[in-house]
Amino acid sequence: MTVTGQDVTDYVERVRAALADLPPQARDELTEDLPEHLTEVAAEADGSLVDRLGTPEAYAAELRAAAGAGDPAAGRRVLERRIAVMVGHARTRIDRVDARLGPLLGHATAGEFLRLLRPAWWVGRAYLAAMLITAISTDGPLGLLPRLDGNWFVGLLMFAGLVVGSCWLGRHTSELRIWQRWAVHAGAVGLILFAIGGLLVVDDNARLGADYGYQSTSVQNPYDQVQDVYVYDSEGRVVENARLFDQNGTPIRLGWPACDDPALPDVNPMQRGYPYCPEQAPFRPRPPAVAPLPPGSTGDPGVSPAPTGPVAVPTATTPGAPVPTGPGTADPTAPGTPVPTGSAPTTPPAPPSVAGPAGEPLPTATR
């Protein structure tokens, strides 16, 4: 027998008539969802509403009891029935969506496809449970491997045990009691929320450029105390108006002018070149390099080098003999005449003669 909309309307009206002695607000609250409830009950199976729920007057008594005006047990039964109807209504809608998504996945229903993935979910559930235990027992950032108190080997053993337990629970879930099944489902929802939170943390670390798995360490910048920069060339001279750039062409700015030099331009120090204070350079420039002297050079451009070969030496002449002069003849007594050096043999000069009384020369002693 098919239940029509008119049947639902008549049933509601008879229930409201049985509750006419209640205040209008209480009656409206009790029968607010009654039409939808009756429609869902009629769609679940064949039979009239009276066959499924009883007479409208009996149903009104159950509603009255649920409102606290009758037997507590009857009110509890009505509440359970209402909850069951709501669950059935939600299940009906889910079944409709399931049937529509099934062909897209190559199966009659999406549930049939998801049942094929149950073993993968059992392993994933064990992994999420192991990572949750790792987060509780380990003080620090999470990695990809489960750990127990920081020990990855013990963590893998724990994960293997959880896989076995999760697979057993997956095969025997239908044999559990209702509250146990609800506990299993609630635990699965909690693990999924934990997984979503972990993914968000990893995404934040990736977007911020943080190194996942490493703790940040505060290190003092060695350039915090730099006030000026001095650039020297290969000769040890300070290079003025120097500018520093990194590999991307971005200027490198260090320090702040610590000198009060009126000659400094009145501009932003970030636009000046280094050094800010050239007079405060820490190192003096090195002396200029001197080229090595060639062999035999005295270093004085006004003095000629002394000859090193044999030189002709004038021999002794008799008194009164003329001394030869002229081009090519060197005067040994003239200033600037080179002094003969070397091993050429020379004749010793004759001893001076002494004149006698009559002007005759006296004999000299010889060796």
Side-chain angles (χ1 to χ4, degrees):
M1 179 180 179
T2 302
V3 178
T4 63
Q6 185 62 39
D7 295 335
V8 173
T9 303
D10 294 342
Y11 196 96
V12 172
E13 292 298 333
R14 290 179 61 182
V15 170
R16 291 180 61 87
L19 299 174
D21 58 321
L22 296 178
Q25 183 178 0
R27 184 175 63 250
D28 293 340
E29 290 179 358
L30 291 176
T31 60
E32 179 180 4
D33 300 329
L34 185 57
E36 290 81 4
H37 169 56
L38 297 178
T39 303
E40 294 296 333
V41 171
E44 289 180 0
D46 294 336
S48 64
L49 295 177
V50 176
D51 297 336
R52 300 288 306 278
L53 301 176
T55 62
E57 290 73 18
Y59 191 83
E62 293 179 356
L63 292 180
R64 187 188 300 272
D71 185 12
R76 184 167 55 252
R77 289 193 300 269
V78 172
L79 181 61
E80 291 176 356
R81 183 179 298 179
R82 291 175 66 91
I83 293 176
V85 172
M86 293 175 61
V87 172
H89 177 61
R91 185 174 298 175
T92 302
R93 293 185 177 180
I94 293 175
D95 291 340
R96 293 174 183 173
V97 176
D98 187 19
R100 292 179 180 178
L101 295 179
L104 299 178
L105 301 175
H107 295 270
T109 61
E112 182 179 350
F113 173 74
L114 295 177
R115 279 191 291 271
L116 299 176
L117 301 180
R118 284 187 299 180
W121 161 244
W122 296 342
V123 177
R125 178 172 56 185
Y127 176 77
L128 293 177
M131 294 303 296
L132 179 60
I133 297 175
T134 300
I136 296 174
S137 63
T138 303
D139 185 14
L142 296 178
L144 297 178
L145 293 178
R147 286 174 169 81
L148 188 61
D149 198 17
N151 192 319
W152 64 269
F153 181 74
V154 179
L156 291 179
L157 294 179
M158 174 187 65
F159 171 62
L162 289 174
V163 168
V164 175
S166 178
C167 293
W168 181 91
L169 184 63
R171 290 193 303 267
H172 297 84
T173 301
S174 59
E175 303 174 3
L176 300 177
R177 297 180 179 179
I178 295 179
W179 68 269
Q180 292 175 337
R181 290 199 298 268
W182 280 105
V184 171
H185 298 330
V189 173
L191 291 176
I192 293 174
L193 294 178
F194 169 73
I196 295 175
L199 290 176
L200 293 177
V201 172
V202 173
D203 180 70
D204 289 340
N205 292 335
R207 288 189 299 104
L208 297 177
D211 292 332
Y212 183 72
Y214 293 89
Q215 294 183 358
S216 59
T217 303
S218 177
V219 179
Q220 182 179 5
N221 188 352
Y223 303 105
D224 285 343
Q225 305 300 325
V226 174
Q227 295 182 352
D228 205 345
V229 176
Y230 296 86
V231 181
Y232 287 82
D233 61 9
S234 60
E235 299 297 333
R237 294 170 297 191
V238 178
V239 178
E240 298 188 9
N241 295 324
R243 298 182 182 275
L244 306 180
F245 298 87
D246 63 5
Q247 72 281 355
N248 299 322
T250 304
I252 300 176
R253 306 306 308 180
L254 298 174
W256 194 265
C259 57
D260 264 342
D261 189 355
L264 289 175
D266 188 15
V267 297
N268 187 347
M270 292 299 182
Q271 300 177 0
R272 301 174 184 166
Y274 294 115
Y276 296 136
C277 312
E279 68 281 357
Q280 297 181 4
F283 306 106
R284 289 188 174 184
R286 295 181 297 183
V290 180
L293 297 176
S297 175
T298 61
D300 188 357
V303 179
S304 302
T308 57
V311 180
V313 180
T315 58
T317 57
T318 57
V323 178
T325 60
T329 303
D331 186 1
T333 62
T337 302
V339 179
T341 60
S343 59
T346 59
T347 303
S353 60
V354 181
E360 297 179 356
L362 297 178
T364 57
T366 61
R367 295 183 179 179

